[in-house]
């Protein structure tokens, strides 16, 4: 079985790497918190959304998609 790395950018220079088998899904993704922002989704290196339902077919680099909070 082929095993691939998922590198998760947790922000503030912190990264977490997990390994998953080809054809499986990511078991768990953290839900980050950043003051002044709302977390919306995880995206890969091609800016495509990735979730725990995504099928693993290769190495993935995940980044947070955040929206700034509007404070009137």
């Amino acid at each position: 079985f082929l095993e691939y790395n998922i590198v998760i950018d947790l922000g503030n220079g912190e990264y977490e790497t997990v390994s998953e088998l080809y054809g499986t899904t990511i078991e768990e993704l953290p839900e980050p918190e950043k003051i002044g922002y709302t977390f919306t989704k995880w995206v890969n290196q091609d800016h495509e959304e990735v979730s725990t339902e995504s099928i693993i077919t290769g190495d993935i680099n995940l980044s947070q998609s955040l929206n700034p909070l509007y404070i009137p």
Side-chain angles (χ1 to χ4, degrees), residues 4-8 16-20 26 28:
Y4 291 101
N5 291 319
I6 294 91
V7 179
I8 304 168
E16 178 182 334
T17 301
V18 295
S19 296
E20 300 289 352
I26 302 171
E28 185 178 339

Side-chain angles (χ1 to χ4, degrees), residues 25-56:
T25 58
I26 302 171
E27 290 187 25
E28 185 178 339
L29 285 171
E31 189 162 328
E33 294 181 12
K34 184 174 181 180
I35 295 173
Y37 292 86
T38 301
F39 172 77
T40 57
K41 60 187 173 185
W42 289 102
V43 294
N44 65 17
Q45 57 270 24
D46 297 321
H47 304 287
E48 299 166 334
E49 184 173 356
V50 175
S51 72
T52 54
E53 297 176 5
S54 301
I55 303 296
I56 304 302

